Amino acid sequence: MKNKATLEYQGKKYEFPVIEGSENELAIDIKTLRAQSGMITIDPGYKNTGSCESGITFLDGEKGILRYRGYSIEELAEKASFLEVAYLLIFGELPTKRELEKFHTDIVNESMVDEDMKKILDGFPKSAHPMGVLSSLTSALIAYNPKFVNVSSEEEMYGAIVRIVAKFPVLVSWTYRKQKGLPLDYGDDSLEYVENFIKMMFKKPNHDYQRNDTVIKAMNKLLILHADHEQNCSTSTVRIVGSSHAGLFASLSAGISALWGPLHGGANQAVLEMLQAIQEDGGDTKKYMAKAKDKNDPFRLMGFGHRVYKNFDPRARIIKKAADDVLDALGIDDPILNIAKGLEQEALEDPYFVDRKLYPNVDFYSGIIYRALGIPTEMFTVMFALGRLPGWIAQWREMRLNNEPIGRPRQVYVGATTREFVSIQDR
Ligand code: SDX
């Protein structure tokens, strides 16, 4: 029967329902496994384990498909604004003109950050990694918005959501400008969300702001492409922290820390550092390909491979084309881009990568565009976090509205069995 699975162990049979998703994915519902059999499952990295049923993002790793609430990433990246996509991810539908205007107005009304937050920023050395600063500032927002921690109604959640969507770009720009020794800016609320962010980031105190449509279009596309990606490491972190009802800002702060890792969002910084190392090493891509394949060498080809995509990451395709367009439009000839393309070509023809279905992922080309936009390498993962913010929020909101239980995995204990205490004199 399609809707039942049977497990047989030591002559006993256990039956479990099989659920089917709207894209025909099948999952064995093992909620009663331990009650029926006394056994649990084990799956390090959760490679075969679903944590939830979600209606937000669908991706097909074999076909290289990515959709937000049913809309293809290709269409959204081309036709939507980042704020429209944020609204779509969080509330489930593309906003009408009026809904989008209200969302933007509510955000503008909450886009001030308590000036005392600057004292926290002042406490960091300029050498502090911006992801650590951003995670701390996001957590600090709790102290300045205490009424938006214990939220349970949709209305209270909306209050927390517009506050973080409003204040996060300010915190990102402050984190960047503090490191550059620039005055902290609040931008210009008469501007559209992404353009306002760009102005907050790059406006020089002694120059008038100059609008650059290429930069705005590229930033809008990059943020959309990073907006959500089902149950990745940082999103799962946001959901599990949120499942204890720790509040949205605390859950996001934890998600920022998870994204920081070089195997996850930190890969975009690691890709640029890798490409620069290859450039400084005379562009010897073959040497780095050999290192990536050498099991005794911890080096990995950063920006390649993916837990789910066993085909081209659809975001990488779009970003690769955007990198060409942005560098042409800005008149930049970046040798790093040529090294990246050479490395990609070699990897796509190398049996080690082909056999393991290792393709360029979202992080492989994104850094090249950020670099062209004047963003320093250490800020690349912060840009990923800004893009991923609406996805994290949407997943947190879905988890809370579904009243999901607190996340608490089981384990198989493999340590010492019971033994008597021995006093220190006798050890
Ligand atoms: C993101 O999950 C998401 O959705 C994440 C993300 C999102 O939008 O949220 O898409 C964003 O995090 C993209 C991934 C960015 N990370 C990197 O680019 C770091 C480099 N990539 C790898 O570390 C790795 O591919 C992962 C972490 C992305 C995926 O690792 P898996 O699924 O655990 O696979 P694995 O480590 O078991 O690798 C399988 C095999 C191994 O070789 P064998 O043991 O089979 O011989 O492939 C090899 C690995 O050694 N391998 C690589 C490699 N990636 C995997 N070998 C060299 N270079 C690589 N990059």
Side-chain angles (χ1 to χ4, degrees), residues 123-141:
F124 286 97
K126 276 200 172 55
S127 59
H129 193 288
M131 283 296 275
V133 175
L134 184 63
S135 178
S136 306
L137 292 178
T138 302
S139 191
L141 279 178

Side-chain angles (χ1 to χ4, degrees), residues 47 59 225-226 228-235 259 262-265 267-268 271 292-293 295 299-310 313 315 352-353 356 358 361-363 384 388:
K47 296 191 175 187
L59 56 94
L225 291 170
H226 286 82
D228 194 50
H229 213 241
E230 58 147 76
Q231 305 311 314
N232 59 83
C233 177
S234 55
T235 298
L259 186 72
L263 295 186
H264 188 16
N268 57 15
V271 168
K293 297 189 286 187
K295 287 301 163 206
F299 175 80
R300 286 197 155 189
L301 202 62
M302 302 313 278
F304 262 79
H306 197 277
R307 172 61 55 77
V308 178
Y309 288 123
K310 301 308 172 191
D313 181 333
R315 300 167 296 176
Y352 173 94
F353 289 85
R356 291 168 178 79
L358 303 176
N361 59 48
V362 66
D363 293 311
F384 193 143
R388 187 52 51 89

Side-chain angles (χ1 to χ4, degrees), residues 68-106:
Y68 295 159
R69 302 281 189 180
Y71 296 95
S72 78
I73 193 67
E74 290 80 7
E75 273 210 287
L76 292 172
E78 206 46 52
K79 300 173 183 172
S81 72
F82 177 57
L83 206 59
E84 268 183 295
V85 171
Y87 188 99
L88 169 68
L89 284 167
I90 296 168
F91 303 110
E93 298 296 335
L94 283 169
T96 60
K97 194 166 180 310
R98 270 173 49 80
E99 287 167 335
L100 187 60
E101 282 166 1
K102 179 184 182 308
F103 191 45
H104 187 234
T105 303
D106 293 345

Side-chain angles (χ1 to χ4, degrees), residues 134-167:
L134 184 63
S135 178
S136 306
L137 292 178
T138 302
S139 191
L141 279 178
I142 299 166
Y144 293 92
N145 300 272
K147 285 195 297 180
F148 292 94
V149 179
N150 301 317
V151 292
S152 46
S153 71
E154 281 202 58
E155 190 188 358
E156 289 168 340
M157 287 183 193
Y158 183 80
I161 289 166
V162 289
R163 277 163 178 76
I164 191 67
V165 175
K167 300 176 197 301

Side-chain angles (χ1 to χ4, degrees), residues 52-55 239 397-405:
C52 61
E53 294 177 46
S54 177
R239 284 184 86 118
R397 181 174 179 271
E398 179 181 73
M399 176 275 303
R400 285 300 307 272
L401 293 180
N402 289 349
N403 291 309
E404 291 186 12

